[in-house]
């Protein structure tokens, strides 16, 4: 006992130094932890990263343990213990540190993975699988480090593990990219449920779900389309963001196709033309004043109407041809009034000039009746964005129906697009602008472009 | 009756999306859905050769892909029968043909035999041209809807022959013509549905230059000399002799070559005679190339059209002359007679030049051979015109609308 006391008195510094180092490490650890976690909390407050709190909870206590182990290790190294004991003590402390790190990493990775996979609504089996893969990977790495610390050869084990990893990678080569892309999409938050996206080239619609494998969108036709996450990550995606104001009533797009029915009636001169014209149904006048719009897109400006063209070309009467061409279809709310105007112009000319010019054989005017076939398309628009996207896709027949046929069908003498925009979206100014477009001076494609331009300015 | 087959087009309906757009194809599918449950039975006289067989070999498979149960049968007849129907054909075109009572009785006997042997399973019978026109007598027995598709220019028919056939035509529910000029004063409905070309067929698809060159080499054609090409059957109504006359007049001032290329059809016994006459007329002129193209050589026809500087169709009468649309689709300037359906395809001075005489054709050829920019502009317009109005997708749509409209009578049909 006296010998021990004497030894301590003689060598107090050798004892005090390790103890002081141990205490110093503990105090430094406490201080450093406060500084580091305060800074981390401030960063979290800025970024609002949901995983931040999990990092704090998982590491806060162990952080101090690691500093204690560091202190013990340094204390032992500066102590007077024999070198053999120091080496063994170093290995024990290193092993404890590795075990602690493995424990914390497993705990943290599980929590972060679950948080992320919950966001992309991954089902239970792949979630459990992902957590187990992460857990086993960390344990394997930990064990390899421990074996290395204790001097056991690890190369054969690493080779076996690499081979197993390669085989697993091959087996899951399709699922893994989708899974990783799903994590990227969910984590990056560039695409969220409710966004309107357009995937180039092809589908457009509202995002209804993001899963670990696919992103689901509801297209403008009302279909649900699953886009593999990997495809989405590699493709150009235009995200228009959140929905715009919903219409009080959706716009259903129709299309109008037409069939040409021959009446068997033909005119060889102006008198015959005006006599037949007076008697034929409106559908005949409609055909001869409108079919150029659908059949001659490439000609700008398009010929005015068949009557003017025939009078100029077949009868060689440029003066009356010009008068007939100058009749602006846009001015007439009904085909009946348009027909009467055509009849009046020809009668007026006949009353003054007594023109009995006859068309050459084979150049007679054949009266054709237009049979309109109307059918609904799968396209329905609930807001202005959907509306403009559908207008970009529909056929010219559909535009024709809602613009040209509507003018003769709806009482206001305007068109379906203007009425819907005004009545169901309360955008009177936009509705007026569309209504004021004179469709007869555009080709159908340029009319489509003009409408799109007007609407896109309003979104 | 022995079940025969035909060479189906390989094109799929979705293959047309890049050309006409997705929405257009969607509309066709919607129309096809509405014909679900109905059988369309097309009937004509041959599976091979000529425009009708070509149209049906594309149309029927495409209708099937749209969910429409369309099938195709042909009538059987002896050579004598087809000689009689060729007379009908010429007479309906306005040619002064002598149709004897014996000819008529042979026609009726063969029709009766086909009535006995053919299976009539359709809900809508889609009968083409005069050869099978008398099959409509079956309507009294089985009813259903009957449509007669007349591919012939009957603007000025031989009245005697027309009156004989009219008694059958009036039993149909509707008639379909290719051009407004063909309309007659009939108490039944008449529709206008021009025929169309298939842009994906061997005859119209894009070809690599090597193939075009190899075809030119095969027929000994000079690729450095302007080439006037007329593709058509060897038939008086296509006026191959008039085409040679026009060429020889142009050749006096412009160094060029003429290619008259065509085949024969199994239902046209006259074509052999015409071919020999044309060969005789062209003999001794090394710049006139008479090419007898066997059936199925569509790639070669395509190559010749693409190699052409100007394409001619100097017909005296035409049903429609799809060769004009084929040429326009290939952006080629066209000189064509203003007959049949040609004015529908060739809008004078916009998508080609129309002519009414040999001298008119000479004038138009000179204009095009000496004004490359103008010829190019016409060709580009022609391409757009065909895209809009003469592709098989438009024809499909019209036929679907026709079949659907047979149950309606108003100006507006809501489906």
């Amino acid at each position: 006992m006296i010998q021990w006391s004497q030894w301590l008195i003689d060598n107090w510094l050798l004892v005090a130094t390790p103890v002081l180092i141990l205490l110093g490490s503990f105090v430094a650890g406490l201080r450093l932890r406060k500084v580091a976690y305060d800074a981390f909390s401030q960063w979290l407050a800025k970024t609002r990263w949901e995983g931040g709190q999990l990092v704090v909870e998982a590491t806060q206590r162990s952080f101090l343990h690691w500093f204690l182990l560091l202190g013990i290790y340094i204390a032992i190294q500066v102590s007077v213990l024999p070198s053999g004991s120091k080496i063994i003590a170093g290995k024990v402390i290193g092993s404890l540190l590795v075990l602690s790190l493995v424990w914390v990493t497993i705990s943290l990775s599980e929590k972060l993975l679950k948080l992320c996979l919950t966001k992309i609504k991954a089902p239970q089996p792949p979630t459990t699988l992902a957590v187990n893969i992460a857990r086993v990977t960390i344990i394997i790495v930990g064990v390899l480090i421990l074996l290395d610390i204790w001097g056991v050869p690890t190369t054969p084990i690493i080779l076996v593990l690499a081979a197993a990893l390669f085989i697993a990678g091959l087996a899951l080569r399709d699922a893994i990219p989708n899974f990783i892309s799903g994590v990227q999409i969910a984590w990056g938050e560039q695409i969220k449920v409710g966004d309107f996206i357009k995937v180039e080239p092809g589908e457009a619609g509202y995002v209804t779900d993001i899963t670990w494998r696919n992103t689901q969108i509801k297209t403008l036709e009302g279909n649900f389309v699953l886009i593999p996450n990997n495809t989405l990550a590699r493709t150009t995606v235009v995200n228009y963001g959140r929905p715009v104001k919903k219409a009080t009533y959706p716009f259903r797009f129709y299309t109008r196709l037409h069939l040409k029915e021959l009446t068997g009636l033909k005119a060889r001169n102006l008198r015959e033309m005006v006599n037949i014209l007076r008697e034929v149904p409106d559908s005949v006048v409609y055909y001869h004043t409108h079919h150029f719009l659908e059949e001659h897109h490439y000609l700008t400006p398009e010929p005015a109407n068949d009557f003017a063209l025939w009078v100029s070309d077949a009868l060689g009467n440029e003066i009356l041809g010009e008068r007939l061409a100058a009749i602006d279809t846009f001015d007439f709310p009904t085909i009946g009034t348009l027909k009467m105007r055509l009849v009046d112009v020809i009668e007026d000319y006949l009353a003054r000039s007594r023109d009995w010019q006859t068309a050459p054989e084979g150049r007679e005017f054949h009266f054709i009746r237009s049979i309109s076939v109307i059918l609904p398309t799968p396209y329905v628009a609930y807001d202005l964005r959907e509306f403009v996207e559908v207008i970009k896709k529909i056929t010219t027949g559909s535009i024709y129906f809602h613009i040209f046929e509507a003018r003769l069908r709806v009482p206001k003498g305007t068109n379906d697009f203007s009425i819907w925009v005004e009545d169901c979206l309360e955008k009177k100014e936009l509705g007026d602008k569309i209504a004021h477009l004179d469709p007869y001076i555009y080709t159908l494609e340029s009319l489509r472009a003009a409408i799109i331009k007007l609407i896109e300015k309003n979104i | 009756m022995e079940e025969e087959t035909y060479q189906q087009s390989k094109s799929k309906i979705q293959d047309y999306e890049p050309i006409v757009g997705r929405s257009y194809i969607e509309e066709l599918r919607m129309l096809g859905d509405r014909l679900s449950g109905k059988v369309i039975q097309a009937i004509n006289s041959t599976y091979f050769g000529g425009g009708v067989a070509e149209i049906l070999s594309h149309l029927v498979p495409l209708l099937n892909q749209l969910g429409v149960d369309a099938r195709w049968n042909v009538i059987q007849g002896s050579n004598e029968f087809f000689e009689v129907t060729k007379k009908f054909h010429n007479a309906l075109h306005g040619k002064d043909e002598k149709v004897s009572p014996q000819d008529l009785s042979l026609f009726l006997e063969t029709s009766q035999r086909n009535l006995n042997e053919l299976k009539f399973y359709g809900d809508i019978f889609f009968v083409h041209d005069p050869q099978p026109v008398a099959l409509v007598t079956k309507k009294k027995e089985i009813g259903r809807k009957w449509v007669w598709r007349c591919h012939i220019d009957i603007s000025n028919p031989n009245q005697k022959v027309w009156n004989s056939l009219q008694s059958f035509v009036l039993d149909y529910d509707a008639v379909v013509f290719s051009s407004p000029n063909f309309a007659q004063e009939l108490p039944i409905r008449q529709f206008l549905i021009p025929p169309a070309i298939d842009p994906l067929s061997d005859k119209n698809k894009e070809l690599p230059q090597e193939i075009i060159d190899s075809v030119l080499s095969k027929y000994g054609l000079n690729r450095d000399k302007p080439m006037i090409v007329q593709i058509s059957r060897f038939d008086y109504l296509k006026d191959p002799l008039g085409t040679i006359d026009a060429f020889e007049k142009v050749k006096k001032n412009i160094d060029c070559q003429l290619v008259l290329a065509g085949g024969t059809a199994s239902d046209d016994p006259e074509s052999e005679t015409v071919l020999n006459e044309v060969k005789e007329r062209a003999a001794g002129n090394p710049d006139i190339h008479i090419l007898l193209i066997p059936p199925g050589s569509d790639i070669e026809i395509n190559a010749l059209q693409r190699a052409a500087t100007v394409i001619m169709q100097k017909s005296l009468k035409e049903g429609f002359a799809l060769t004009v649309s084929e040429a326009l689709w290939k952006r080629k300037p066209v000189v064509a007679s203003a007959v049949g359906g040609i004015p529908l395809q060739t809008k004078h001075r916009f998508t080609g030049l129309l002519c009414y005489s040999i001298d008119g054709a000479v004038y138009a050829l000179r204009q095009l051979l000496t004004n490359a920019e103008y010829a190019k502009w016409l060709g580009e317009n022609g391409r757009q015109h065909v895209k809009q109005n003469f592709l098989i997708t438009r024809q499909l749509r019209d036929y679907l609308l026709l079949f659907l409209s047979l149950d309606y009578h108003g100006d507006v049909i809501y489906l």
Side-chain angles (χ1 to χ4, degrees):
Chain A
M1 188 66 187
I2 296 166
Q3 283 178 335
W4 267 103
S5 304
Q6 188 58 48
W7 186 87
L8 278 173
I9 293 164
D10 295 342
N11 299 286
W12 67 270
L13 194 59
L14 292 175
V15 175
T17 305
V19 171
L20 285 172
I21 286 172
L22 186 62
L23 286 172
S25 299
F26 182 69
V27 173
L30 278 174
R31 182 69 193 155
L32 199 63
R33 185 174 73 168
K34 181 162 177 27
V35 172
Y37 280 79
D38 282 353
F40 187 62
S41 298
Q42 281 175 7
W43 179 76
L44 281 182
K46 279 184 195 166
T47 59
R48 295 182 184 174
W49 179 44
E50 291 173 55
Q53 194 53 39
L54 297 177
V55 174
V56 173
E57 285 170 11
T59 58
Q60 200 166 19
R61 186 176 293 176
S62 302
F63 192 88
L64 202 57
H65 296 164
W66 299 331
F67 269 87
L68 269 174
L69 286 172
L70 181 69
I72 293 169
Y73 177 79
I74 297 170
I76 288 172
Q77 294 306 315
V78 300
S79 72
V80 291
L81 287 172
S83 61
S85 303
K86 282 182 183 176
I87 290 168
I88 290 169
K91 286 182 178 179
V92 169
I93 291 164
S95 301
L96 287 172
L97 184 66
V98 168
L99 286 173
S100 174
L101 282 171
V102 165
W103 179 262
V104 169
T105 313
I106 286 174
S107 164
L108 182 59
S109 63
E110 278 181 18
K111 286 174 182 168
L112 288 176
L113 266 175
K114 280 180 181 167
L115 173 70
C116 177
L117 296 174
T118 308
K119 273 177 124 180
I120 59 170
K121 296 183 183 168
Q124 195 55 37
T127 305
T128 313
L129 182 70
V131 168
N132 284 337
I133 287 171
R135 189 182 290 165
V136 169
T137 307
I138 295 162
I139 289 171
I140 288 169
V141 171
V143 169
L144 285 173
I145 295 170
L146 283 176
L147 290 174
D148 193 54
I149 288 172
W150 292 96
V152 180
T154 53
T155 311
I157 300 169
I158 290 171
L159 286 175
V160 169
L161 285 172
L165 206 62
F166 179 70
I167 292 164
L170 274 181
L172 297 169
R173 66 186 182 281
D174 291 331
I176 289 171
N178 277 328
F179 179 77
I180 293 170
S181 300
V183 172
Q184 282 175 348
I185 291 167
W187 210 254
E189 295 192 336
Q190 287 156 335
I191 298 172
K192 299 185 208 74
V193 171
D195 285 354
F196 186 89
I197 63 166
K198 197 158 139 189
V199 183
E200 298 288 349
E203 303 296 346
Y206 283 110
V207 177
T208 51
D209 205 1
I210 301 172
T211 70
W212 67 284
R213 199 155 49 180
N214 303 304
T215 294
Q216 186 186 56
I217 63 169
K218 188 181 179 189
T219 67
L220 299 166
E221 296 95 321
N223 302 323
F224 287 96
V225 175
L226 293 174
I227 303 168
N229 289 331
N230 191 30
T231 307
L232 207 61
R234 285 185 305 180
T235 316
T236 306
V237 179
V238 182
N239 190 346
Y240 292 92
R242 295 282 160 182
V244 291
K245 183 185 174 184
K246 292 277 176 203
T248 51
Y249 197 78
F251 189 94
R252 172 168 281 281
F253 286 82
Y254 284 76
T255 190
R256 177 263 189 194
L257 308 169
H258 75 282
L259 197 55
K260 297 165 200 165
E261 187 168 342
L262 299 161
T263 61
L265 301 169
K266 60 183 177 184
R268 282 177 288 268
N269 55 48
L270 285 176
R271 176 51 60 198
E272 286 182 2
M273 168 170 266
V274 81
N275 288 344
I276 297 172
L277 187 56
R278 207 178 269 117
E279 301 302 321
V280 291
D282 287 357
S283 53
V284 172
V285 180
Y286 182 82
Y287 174 80
H288 291 292
T289 50
H290 285 75
H291 81 100
F292 273 110
L293 295 162
E294 288 176 284
E295 293 172 18
H296 296 268
H297 282 184
Y298 60 94
L299 290 179
T300 309
E302 293 161 349
N305 60 62
D306 282 345
F307 305 108
L309 201 62
W310 182 74
V311 167
S312 299
D313 284 2
L315 299 185
N317 189 335
E318 295 284 351
I319 296 168
L320 179 60
E322 185 184 274
R323 286 188 66 193
L324 289 167
I327 296 173
D328 189 352
T329 313
F330 194 56
D331 287 343
F332 298 88
T334 66
I335 288 295
T337 53
L338 174 62
K339 179 169 91 172
M340 288 324 297
R341 177 68 184 149
L342 288 163
V343 168
D344 289 346
V345 168
I346 300 172
E347 286 286 16
D348 181 55
Y349 181 83
L350 284 174
R352 289 189 219 180
S353 65
R354 302 175 60 80
D355 185 323
W356 295 102
Q357 174 72 39
T358 301
E361 193 180 335
R363 301 293 308 275
E364 300 88 354
F365 188 93
H366 294 269
F367 288 84
I368 298 172
R369 176 176 162 226
S370 177
I371 309 290
S372 294
V373 180
I374 314 295
L375 68 163
T377 72
Y379 299 110
V380 182
Y382 292 86
D383 60 44
L384 212 48
R385 183 175 291 130
E386 287 186 348
F387 188 65
V388 76
E389 289 302 322
V390 175
I391 289 176
K392 288 175 187 172
K393 303 174 84 158
I394 51 175
T395 58
T396 50
S398 193
I399 291 180
Y400 188 93
F401 174 76
H402 290 296
I403 296 284
F404 291 93
E405 291 226 341
R407 284 195 64 251
L408 308 167
R409 184 168 22 84
V410 292
K412 287 182 188 176
T414 170
N415 63 67
D416 293 339
F417 293 164
S418 298
I419 291 174
W420 182 72
V421 165
E422 203 173 317
D423 293 354
C424 299
L425 286 170
E426 293 171 348
K427 286 184 178 281
K428 187 170 182 326
E429 194 184 344
L430 177 61
D432 284 346
K433 281 181 181 169
I434 297 173
H436 288 142
L437 289 173
D438 178 354
Y440 294 95
I441 60 168
Y442 291 91
T443 64
L444 282 171
E445 283 303 340
S446 59
L447 179 63
R448 184 205 301 266
I451 295 169
I452 289 168
K453 197 173 169 188
L454 279 177
I455 297 173
E456 284 187 334
K457 274 187 189 169
N458 272 270
I459 298 179
Chain B
M1 184 170 284
E2 194 183 330
E3 199 64 33
E4 289 184 82
T5 54
Y6 62 97
Q7 187 71 45
Q8 286 198 12
S9 155
K10 293 173 201 139
S11 305
K12 301 276 173 262
I13 191 70
Q14 61 271 22
D15 297 339
Y16 297 90
E17 270 192 24
I19 299 170
V20 297
R22 187 173 163 185
S23 303
Y24 198 105
I25 303 298
E26 280 174 4
E27 280 184 359
L28 292 180
R29 290 190 196 283
M30 287 192 288
L31 293 172
D33 285 348
R34 282 161 170 82
L35 274 170
S36 170
K38 290 203 170 176
V39 179
I40 315 294
Q41 186 176 359
I43 303 172
N44 78 322
S45 61
T46 178
Y47 283 127
F48 303 101
V52 179
E54 188 178 332
I55 289 167
L56 287 174
S57 66
H58 290 88
L59 199 62
V60 171
L62 289 175
L63 282 169
N64 294 156
Q65 288 170 44
L66 292 171
V68 180
D69 188 353
R71 305 177 211 176
W72 178 11
N73 296 104
V74 294
I75 56 164
Q76 301 295 320
S78 60
N79 282 344
E80 291 74 26
F81 169 77
F82 286 121
E83 276 167 18
V84 171
T85 56
K86 178 66 187 178
K87 282 185 185 176
F88 287 175
H89 183 96
N90 290 341
L92 291 175
H93 269 303
K95 199 175 168 189
D96 190 21
E97 284 280 357
K98 296 269 184 297
V99 179
S100 65
Q102 289 77 12
D103 289 340
L104 276 176
S105 45
L106 175 62
F107 174 73
L108 293 174
E109 277 167 29
T110 310
S111 298
Q112 187 55 52
R113 198 161 50 248
N114 279 294
L115 276 165
N116 296 335
E117 291 176 356
L118 203 63
K119 288 176 190 160
F120 293 87
Y121 49 79
D123 294 297
I124 297 170
F125 295 95
F126 189 30
V127 181
H128 295 257
D129 278 351
Q131 299 93 332
V133 69
L135 296 182
V136 74
T137 48
K138 193 79 176 176
K139 188 181 176 188
K140 291 187 182 76
E141 185 189 324
I142 62 171
R144 306 178 207 166
K145 297 289 182 188
W146 291 73
V147 177
W148 187 52
R149 177 52 167 110
C150 178
H151 297 269
I152 302 169
D153 175 350
I154 59 164
S155 48
N156 289 299
N158 175 318
Q159 280 304 324
K160 196 177 159 196
V161 172
W162 172 239
N163 289 341
S164 306
L165 295 180
Q166 202 181 30
S167 58
F168 298 113
V169 173
L170 294 180
D171 284 337
Y172 282 86
D173 294 284
V175 186
V176 179
F177 291 116
S178 300
S179 169
N181 297 341
F182 308 165
Q184 303 290 319
E185 287 192 27
L186 296 172
I188 57 171
R189 300 179 79 184
Q190 304 174 69
F191 291 96
L192 171 62
I193 301 182
I197 60 162
D198 183 350
L200 303 178
S201 67
D202 284 348
K203 206 185 261 187
N204 297 303
K205 68 184 182 186
E206 295 291 330
L207 287 182
Q209 190 59 42
E210 303 84 68
I211 291 183
I212 298 171
D213 289 344
S214 70
V215 172
L216 295 184
S217 299
K218 178 182 171 184
Y219 290 111
L221 301 171
N222 183 350
R223 71 198 64 173
D224 299 322
K225 195 182 276 191
M227 193 189 296
I228 301 164
V229 175
Q230 175 157 313
I231 307 282
S232 58
R233 277 195 297 179
F234 290 97
D235 185 327
Y236 290 119
L237 295 176
K238 311 292 181 189
D239 198 18
L241 299 175
T243 307
I244 293 174
D245 286 346
F247 166 73
E248 285 179 338
K249 287 187 177 183
V250 172
K251 175 81 179 163
K252 284 179 188 167
N253 305 103
I254 302 167
D255 188 23
C256 55
Q257 55 189 329
L258 173 69
V259 177
L260 292 176
T264 56
S266 61
D267 60 350
D268 182 9
E270 200 178 59
S271 53
E272 202 66 34
T273 318
V274 180
L275 176 63
N276 291 332
E277 211 171 310
V278 170
K279 278 182 175 170
E280 200 177 309
R281 174 71 180 76
N285 189 337
D287 280 322
I288 301 178
H289 304 269
I290 311 299
L291 311 180
L292 181 62
I293 309 280
S297 308
D298 289 350
I299 297 271
E300 293 195 355
I301 300 279
N302 188 347
L304 289 171
Q305 288 172 325
R306 288 183 188 277
T309 314
V310 178
I311 289 186
M312 276 194 86
Q313 193 62 54
K314 218 207 86 49
S315 305
L316 301 173
K317 284 281 178 180
E318 268 298 349
F320 194 74
L322 275 177
T323 45
V324 171
S325 280
E326 287 166 14
L328 295 175
W329 181 245
K330 296 172 183 96
R331 299 182 167 90
K332 293 294 168 184
V334 168
V335 172
S337 305
V339 295
I342 291 177
L344 287 180
Q345 302 165 81
T346 309
K347 295 285 169 193
H348 189 49
R349 297 198 294 262
F350 285 111
T351 66
L353 298 178
L354 290 176
C355 60
Y356 298 86
S357 63
I358 290 173
D359 287 340
V362 171
Y363 177 66
L365 283 171
R366 281 185 185 144
Q367 279 191 305
L368 296 179
L369 289 171
T370 52
N371 294 286
E373 280 301 310
Y374 179 51
K376 190 180 172 196
W377 181 78
L378 289 177
E380 285 297 334
N381 272 352
R383 165 89 172 191
Q384 291 304 316
H385 189 53
V386 171
K387 183 180 172 185
Q388 198 62 44
N389 302 297
F390 299 109
L391 293 187
I392 195 166
T393 39
R394 192 276 307 146
Q395 190 186 28
L396 256 178
R397 190 185 67 188
D398 281 357
Y399 281 127
L400 290 166
L401 290 171
L402 168 72
F403 300 143
L404 288 164
S405 70
L406 291 173
D407 293 323
Y408 301 85
H409 281 92
D411 290 338
V412 182
I413 299 169
Y414 289 93
L415 291 178

